[in-house]
Amino acid sequence: MTGARTAGAAAGVALGATAGAAVGADIARAMPGAVVGADIASAAPEAGPGARPGAQAAPEPPSRSVPVPLTALSGGTSGANALAPLVDTVMDALARGARRRGGPIASGRPGDVAATVSEVFGGPAAVTGAEALDRLTELLAHGSADPADAACAAHLHCPPLAIAVAADLAVSALNPSQDSWDQAPAATALETLLLRELAALVGYEPEQAAGVLTSGGTESNLMGLMLARDRVLGAASGRQVELAGVPGAGTERAPRPRILASAAAHFSVQRAAALLGLGEHAVLPVPVDQQLRMDPEALAAVLDGCAERGELPVAVVATAGTTDTGAIDPLRACAALAAEHGAWLHVDAAYGGGALLSDRLAPLLDGLGLADSVSLDWHKLGWQPAAAGVFLVRRSETYASLARRAVYLNPADDEEAGYPSLLGLSLRTTRRADAFKIAVTLRTLGREGLGRLVDACRELAVSGARAVAEHPRLELHSEPVLTAFLFRYLPEAPPDGARESAAAYGARCDAVNADLRRRLLREGSAVVGRTELPGEGPGRVRLKLTLLNPHTTTAEVERLLHAVVAAGRAEEEAR
């Protein structure tokens, strides 16, 4: 480890003679013991014959065993050699931290974690200098919830594929930004090609569709509802909403805008409505069935109610894969009703979009290609490191209100000359090349290979739900649609002769299930999700397993469920 740390401290950068010497001296003063090149200026040779005007000849890559300064860069011809020993340091620290953790999450309470972080990062003896990367990486690994552990199954928080992480390292090292072609030539072309492939997977005509990589479902949902607002509300009010703003509600030319989403839709729908100036109250919840799917008859009734009140249904948001149960709304029915009322249909398939990779599960998303816009998240059922969100529209012309021209990024004459820009496709300016890791993963495993991973997780969920249904102290809410299911621990009934109302028992169930989950966290033995069913009153708390590790075994899922039961019994005994 000492050798790796010394080499890791020895990353270098070519600097000018005066500046380089000054920086080297500053580092030596600030970080006693740090390895700093004796003659930094020598790393910047003069331009040789035939060099481009203003360019310096590329220095020879230093040997990985040659000490170089801590101010090294990860790019250029010598960047890989500067980065390699640091990667070795990170790998070693990750392994040590995981061994110290010894499970899905470190044992203890939130205050214990905060105290440990403060000691290493902010206390009087905080780590500094060359050891910071090593010590802080070990701290991060020790204090992280590890989705690769079979007992870490609470959230849509996937264990990323090693191939995707390796690809992401390349992006971090090169640091291309997708807001102009001259910052990311290859990445611009690659994102364009990847999005065409994903558009076809969704069911769009690739040449007519458009899209962009996003930070995730929240950003994608915001974009879908922004375009819906601009198109539908703009047409109704006769103004360009993106330029003139949202017209006053309740006027003859500006009926009150409404967004319709199921009661189980993601909270980002309300957040988007607030950001778009429509207000959270513009979102009308549509009732759901027992499986938390939007009820199409209820959707029709809410839409009819909008018409009767003179309100404008701007968008219908259907969900393909709810966060809690993976429920998929009836997409074809939603599309028909949205079209009938002139509303935009946005489908939040951040979770369920992964079903497109599986031949067995893809039919669940029948009708997805009818949506005006779609959200996908490859950092869920795609096994990518976050962020790997995707936003797609069926028709590229509907993107018009997002178009932007910045003379320093995408001047018109550049585009006329064949230099494309992605600036007008995103809400962000500086943007990572997140398409790269997805592209590498697709070409490495293919849809078929990724589909096998999806199917493996689905089979785990089915077997886990079956184990819950067969256990006398556990109650299954509903069969899994994708890779998640809800259940709860059932406390002992009161002794014979004792009386307890259904409401009192429901409240006791809620308290025990909430407490047993926190007990598992304190012990560091499991990370289990917690949610509540729609409705009012006690008895709605449920535990959740979201199974996204295709290497987990059915036996490991059963052990996790036994741990839940043991924690539940311990909580009952402690009362």
Side-chain angles (χ1 to χ4, degrees):
M1 181 57 224
T2 302
R5 201 155 45 219
T6 302
V13 60
L15 298 171
T18 303
V23 171
D26 288 344
I27 294 172
R29 285 193 296 272
M31 304 178 181
V35 179
V36 180
D39 186 5
I40 302 178
S42 65
E46 295 181 2
R52 296 191 304 276
Q56 293 179 330
E60 286 295 319
S63 165
R64 286 173 61 167
S65 63
V66 175
V68 284
L70 289 170
T71 54
L73 302 182
S74 61
T77 57
S78 59
N81 287 286
L83 185 60
L86 299 176
V87 173
D88 291 342
T89 297
V90 167
M91 295 300 101
D92 185 78
L94 287 174
R96 289 199 323 275
R99 286 195 298 270
R100 280 183 55 205
R101 185 181 65 242
I105 196 169
S107 61
R109 297 175 181 271
D112 301 325
V113 176
T116 301
V117 172
S118 178
E119 179 183 353
V120 177
F121 181 74
V127 61
T128 59
E131 288 193 342
L133 176 64
D134 177 66
R135 293 282 305 283
L136 290 175
T137 302
E138 181 181 352
L139 173 68
L140 179 67
H142 173 259
S144 291
D146 182 7
D149 190 293
C152 186
H155 301 287
L156 287 165
H157 176 203
C158 75
L161 290 162
I163 188 71
V165 174
D168 211 33
L169 173 62
V171 170
S172 293
L174 295 168
N175 207 29
S177 180
Q178 300 294 86
D179 49 316
S180 66
W181 183 91
D182 58 2
Q183 296 178 80
T188 296
L190 190 61
E191 179 169 320
T192 302
L193 291 171
L194 174 69
L195 288 168
R196 288 178 185 170
E197 195 166 314
L198 296 181
L201 186 64
V202 163
Y204 289 166
E205 288 292 334
E207 299 304 320
Q208 298 177 14
V212 73
L213 269 289
T214 71
S215 59
T218 296
E219 182 185 349
S220 295
N221 290 345
L222 174 61
M223 292 182 70
L225 292 176
M226 176 181 176
L227 295 179
R229 180 201 66 178
D230 296 347
R231 299 281 294 186
V232 179
L233 186 56
S237 63
R239 61 196 286 175
Q240 281 188 266
V241 175
E242 69 274 17
L243 299 180
V246 177
T251 66
E252 183 178 347
R253 297 188 64 202
R256 186 173 186 179
R258 291 297 197 181
I259 297 169
L260 287 74
S262 86
H266 196 264
F267 66 85
S268 60
V269 175
Q270 281 81 4
R271 179 175 288 176
L275 289 171
L276 294 171
L278 306 178
E280 291 196 20
H281 291 167
V283 181
L284 298 179
V286 179
V288 295
D289 63 16
Q290 174 68 18
Q291 282 71 46
L292 305 188
R293 297 173 300 198
M294 188 189 294
D295 182 341
E297 292 185 1
L299 174 60
V302 177
L303 283 166
D304 289 342
C306 288
E308 292 168 3
R309 294 187 299 271
E311 298 171 347
L312 179 66
V314 170
V316 172
V317 179
T319 305
T322 56
T323 303
D324 284 343
T325 64
I328 297 172
D329 292 338
L331 301 181
R332 283 195 174 273
C334 290
L337 287 167
E340 179 183 338
H341 289 265
W344 178 284
L345 176 64
H346 175 72
V347 177
D348 178 1
Y351 175 22
L356 295 170
L357 299 168
S358 162
D359 288 339
R360 279 190 269 174
L361 298 181
L364 294 173
L365 272 64
D366 178 51
L368 183 62
L370 300 173
D372 294 291
S373 57
V374 172
S375 302
L376 305 172
D377 273 7
W378 283 70
H379 52 248
K380 293 183 173 67
L381 272 179
W383 296 279
Q384 301 297 297
V390 175
F391 174 71
L392 294 166
V393 295
R394 180 159 48 92
R395 294 171 297 167
S396 59
E397 63 267 23
T398 61
Y399 236 114
S401 61
L402 265 176
R404 287 294 177 271
R405 180 75 61 198
V407 293
Y408 70 99
L409 290 174
N410 62 341
D413 54 324
D414 263 9
E415 293 197 346
E416 291 167 2
Y419 292 83
S421 169
L422 305 181
L423 180 67
L425 297 173
S426 178
L427 295 177
R428 293 177 286 165
T429 305
T430 301
R431 185 166 61 83
R432 292 183 84 248
D434 287 318
F436 182 72
K437 59 197 173 192
I438 303 175
V440 169
T441 302
L442 270 173
R443 287 299 172 266
T444 301
L445 296 177
R447 176 180 175 272
E448 182 181 355
L450 286 167
R452 284 195 293 269
L453 301 184
V454 173
D455 290 340
C457 291
R458 173 59 163 55
E459 289 165 8
L460 279 174
V462 170
S463 65
R466 187 182 306 118
V468 166
E470 293 172 354
H471 199 289
R473 301 300 297 275
L474 298 175
E475 179 185 73
L476 181 67
H477 172 67
S478 60
E479 294 295 329
V481 178
L482 296 171
T483 68
F485 60 88
L486 302 183
F487 67 105
R488 65 175 174 172
Y489 171 80
L490 297 174
E492 289 277 8
D496 291 342
R499 306 182 76 178
E500 184 178 35
S501 68
Y505 182 73
R508 187 156 62 93
C509 281
D510 288 350
V512 170
N513 278 275
D515 288 343
L516 78 83
R517 174 181 166 272
R518 288 188 287 268
R519 174 183 287 269
L520 292 170
L521 290 174
R522 288 195 304 274
E523 295 172 348
S525 55
V527 185
V528 176
R530 175 198 187 278
T531 190
E532 294 182 16
L533 299 177
E536 301 291 336
R540 295 182 298 113
V541 170
R542 292 295 183 275
L543 303 176
K544 177 174 66 170
L545 293 191
T546 308
L547 300 166
L548 296 181
N549 183 346
H551 301 299
T552 297
T553 66
T554 56
E556 287 171 324
V557 174
E558 289 176 5
R559 281 198 294 272
L560 175 55
L561 293 171
H562 288 312
V564 168
V565 172
R569 286 174 170 153
E571 284 299 324
E572 287 192 87
E573 292 171 2
R575 289 173 178 269

